[in-house]
Amino acid sequence: AAGVIQSPRHLIKEKRETATLKCYPIPRHDTVYWYQQGPGQDPQFLISFYEKMQSDKGSIPDRFSAQQFSDYHSELNMSSLELGDSALYFCASSSSATGRSYNEQFFGPGTRLTVL
Amino acid sequence: DAKTTQPPSMDCAEGRAANLPCNHSTISGNEYVYWYRQIHSQGPQYIIHGLKNNETNEMASLIITEDRKSSTLILPHATLRDTAVYYCIVRATNTGTASKLTFGTGTRLQVTL
């Protein structure tokens, strides 16, 4: 079965650079979530989108922005990168269709961002 | 969303049942209990969820107490591949909204030979 695809899987950036992470949800999933997991930390919710509209916002820095496109893929844009932004970034998707899978979030393999 | 409390770590022998407890004494009537797990640095994986009845699927069973203030995730025959951090998450499920997951510290389950 198709899973959530994230690219790139690894990314190395310098401080003050920008980074763009991409997420391709499972086909027919209309909802995308972004989570950040720092070293030794638990995943923390950043932002979510439902039908291309921002749905919820967590502890996402103002330097970060995200959007969901017409094909439902999503991009997380990170500017003025700081050392503390080094983390695993997970994207998850879900379907709002009624049925057993509603709100069951399927996670991608993550993008490991290292800021030097 | 209601706060949850889980033991930080547990051990289980391979082939035995792993019983992971979770306290959620402030759970509201419209909040579900969800369990996810994260195998080292992989994306979290959905296991099971329930409202008030016990639930079972191919991965695990979920036992929720009658007062709904606690629950237990049961892996009936743990294997080495079940070694992971297990998260108990309580949240409302509202149709049409993208409901985030709030991860606590979870229980680190170590399955040994």
Side-chain angles (χ1 to χ4, degrees), chain A:
Chain A
V4 176
I5 297 171
Q6 292 189 245
S7 68
R9 293 293 309 279
H10 301 272
L11 190 59
I12 299 175
K13 291 286 185 179
E14 299 277 343
K15 278 195 311 184
R16 292 181 288 278
E17 285 191 323
T18 62
T20 298
L21 310 185
K22 297 185 179 182
C23 170
Y24 298 87
I26 292 171
R28 292 180 293 282
H29 279 196
D30 51 17
T31 308
V32 169
Y33 314 77
W34 286 96
Y35 294 84
Q36 177 192 57
Q37 186 172 26
Q41 305 287 314
D42 302 299
Q44 297 295 313
F45 170 74
L46 291 177
I47 196 167
S48 62
F49 294 87
Y50 166 64
E51 282 290 345
K52 292 151 278 183
M53 299 289 290
Q54 181 181 306
S55 179
D56 197 1
K57 199 171 181 179
S59 49
I60 183 169
D62 293 340
R63 299 177 289 108
F64 294 6
S65 65
Q67 57 182 321
Q68 185 180 31
F69 294 86
S70 58
D71 64 350
Y72 294 102
H73 95 272
S74 178
E75 294 184 2
L76 177 65
N77 298 293
M78 311 159 71
S79 64
S80 303
L81 287 169
E82 303 174 355
L83 297 178
D85 296 329
S86 294
L88 265 172
Y89 290 83
F90 291 107
C91 171
S93 73
S94 68
S95 169
S96 64
T98 54
R100 65 171 294 275
S101 64
Y102 178 59
N103 260 325
E104 175 185 338
Q105 295 184 21
F106 295 83
F107 283 76
T111 294
R112 184 175 294 279
L113 173 67
T114 302
V115 181
L116 302 175

Side-chain angles (χ1 to χ4, degrees), chain B residues 18-20 35 47-49 53-64 71-76:
Chain B
N19 297 286
L20 292 90
W35 284 83
I47 300 173
I48 198 168
H49 76 284
N53 297 321
N54 297 337
E55 302 287 344
T56 294
N57 63 20
E58 61 278 6
M59 288 183 68
S61 294
L62 174 61
I63 309 297
I64 302 174
S71 61
T72 300
L73 178 74
I74 301 173
L75 307 178

